Amino acid sequence: MSVQTTEPLTSMAEANETFMRAFERGDAAGVAALYTDDAQVLPPGSDIVSGKEAIASFWSAVMEMGVKKVELTTLELDHQGDTAIDVGRAGLYTE
């Protein structure tokens, strides 16, 4: 059974803030460093992106397409042990 407490929510909010700041700096490696080694990104209408190196390349390509800002919103956080699954929204902005 998963447990939801304020500590994982706070940690995820802090990680999301760090992600958004790194993205705004154009730091794809810094963004990818926030993911676990076996993380996956599920971009809509595209293949699953797996692993830190591929995730860094993915976010670098997004930046090269002119996206300047990402806004992350957690809708649901499932936490069990040292694993958290964040289901949320990502808004991509060119300005």
Side-chain angles (χ1 to χ4, degrees):
M1 175 180 218
S2 60
V3 177
Q4 290 191 358
T5 66
T6 58
E7 183 179 321
L9 289 172
T10 300
S11 295
M12 188 59 67
E14 290 169 355
N16 285 348
E17 283 296 323
T18 301
F19 179 108
M20 292 184 286
R21 285 192 306 271
F23 192 94
E24 286 184 26
R25 288 192 312 271
D27 183 4
V31 168
L34 295 167
Y35 289 87
T36 61
D37 291 335
D38 59 349
Q40 295 182 319
V41 174
L42 292 80
S46 187
D47 294 334
I48 295 172
V49 180
S50 299
K52 283 187 181 185
E53 186 175 319
I55 290 170
S57 294
F58 168 79
W59 285 116
S60 180
V62 169
M63 292 171 186
E64 290 172 9
M65 292 170 43
V67 176
K68 304 291 185 203
K69 178 180 177 182
V70 173
E71 188 172 288
L72 301 176
T73 305
T74 297
L75 301 175
E76 181 180 330
L77 184 64
D78 186 18
H79 174 256
Q80 188 172 33
D82 65 351
T83 301
I85 299 171
D86 179 9
V87 178
R89 264 192 206 108
L92 307 177
Y93 302 92
T94 55
E95 294 182 14

